[in-house]
Amino acid sequence: MAIENIYGPEDGVFIQNHPLIQHKITMLRDKNTGTNEFRKLIEEIAMLMGFEALWDLPLEDVEVETPIETCKSPVIAGKKLAIVPILRAGLGMVSGITALTPTAKIGHIGLYRDEVTHEPHEYYCKLPSPIELRTIIVLDPMLATGGSASDAIRMIKEHGGVHIKFLCIIAAPEGIKRLHEDHPDVQIYVGHLDRELNENAYICPGLGDAGDRIFGTK
Ligand code: PRP
Ligand code: URA
């Protein structure tokens, strides 16, 4: 059965089919899209996805004086947000989210996939402390086997993180299944669900290597 018929919002899996996101993902996929445009698109898509994903931020009423009268009106409660990009490619999404939440703290998790085994290897972890009470937004444009996202979230939980959302621009069905099975408490936001992984664990049709396309490396 197709993965979108297995997992849905009731499982914390949100496939964001907004037309603006779909349009921009098509431009991202194009192999002729250059580094500069690619970066801008990643940032814009992250902002659109973040707008949707932060729908449940807590609010509190403050008193405000309008030119007419004084009233109570809501603002975001506290400054309890942490953004955690998975290096490298997740870095490209950070500015899109901080445009929405400028006071968020930013942590970093460094992971790279072994080219042969496709297993993630950890090389860096620095997270805001304390992290327990924060809503944590983990960013990575690609959810392929799900190994990197699952490891990153395990590391965040080991540091005390509890309220975790994962945002990816393109996911393979295998990645959603793995991440949801490993961390059923984590909300997963996906820009587009692609068909499958190929023999190199690349997403098809995908967009190629996200890190290389953001940073202009090969
Ligand atoms: C890519 C991507 C994810 C990971 C996804 O990073 O940005 O982190 O692969 O694959 P997975 O779901 O199978 O774990 P990569 O390891 O290529 O590192 P990079 O961002 O430094 O290029
Ligand atoms: N990492 C990428 O950057 N792209 C893929 O398709 C899979 C993993």
Side-chain angles (χ1 to χ4, degrees):
M1 198 194 293
I3 198 93
E4 62 270 39
N5 298 328
I6 301 176
Y7 302 123
E10 61 286 0
D11 307 295
V13 177
F14 303 87
I15 316 256
Q16 297 180 302
N17 286 319
H18 193 288
L20 287 174
I21 296 178
Q22 298 318 305
H23 178 88
K24 289 176 191 295
I25 288 177
T26 300
M27 294 161 78
L28 265 190
R29 291 189 196 279
D30 188 338
K31 67 177 184 184
N32 296 315
T33 296
T35 304
N36 187 26
E37 196 187 350
F38 193 90
R39 275 192 208 128
K40 275 197 215 138
L41 287 164
I42 291 270
E43 182 182 328
E44 288 166 3
I45 294 167
M47 183 158 59
L48 291 168
M49 291 187 65
F51 179 78
E52 288 272 330
L54 295 176
W55 64 274
D56 58 352
L57 279 185
L59 294 170
E60 64 188 357
D61 276 348
V62 296
E63 205 167 81
V64 61
E65 211 177 315
T66 80
I68 311 297
E69 62 178 40
T70 299
C71 67
K72 296 236 183 225
S73 193
V75 293
I76 306 291
K79 291 181 183 167
K80 297 195 172 57
L81 211 75
I83 300 170
V84 182
I86 301 178
L87 308 181
R88 291 176 300 164
L91 284 176
M93 298 172 74
V94 172
S95 53
I97 305 295
T98 53
L100 302 171
T101 62
T103 58
K105 306 279 188 211
I106 304 176
H108 295 87
I109 290 183
L111 293 170
Y112 70 89
R113 280 199 329 177
D114 183 283
E115 282 183 11
V116 177
T117 66
H118 310 133
E119 288 297 318
H121 292 271
E122 174 189 339
Y123 61 88
Y124 191 74
C125 180
K126 182 84 180 169
L127 299 171
S129 179
I131 201 165
E132 288 80 357
L133 297 179
R134 294 182 183 276
T135 295
I136 302 156
I137 316 291
V138 183
L139 303 176
D140 195 324
M142 309 306 277
L143 181 65
T145 65
S148 303
S150 180
D151 265 22
I153 289 167
R154 175 187 50 75
M155 291 157 70
I156 292 169
K157 287 181 174 175
E158 284 168 5
H159 281 76
V162 181
H163 314 286
I164 304 171
K165 294 171 188 267
F166 177 79
L167 265 67
C168 64
I169 295 178
I170 296 183
E174 296 89 332
I176 295 181
K177 183 170 184 294
R178 161 91 187 264
L179 188 55
H180 182 68
E181 282 176 2
D182 289 356
H183 301 287
D185 54 309
V186 170
Q187 291 179 347
I188 305 171
Y189 292 85
V190 178
H192 194 272
L193 173 63
D194 272 18
R195 194 178 69 247
E196 61 186 354
L197 296 178
N198 68 14
E199 64 282 6
N200 298 317
Y202 270 78
I203 300 175
C204 304
L207 50 72
D209 187 304
D212 282 347
R213 294 198 64 190
I214 291 171
F215 295 106
T217 49
K218 258 278 172 270

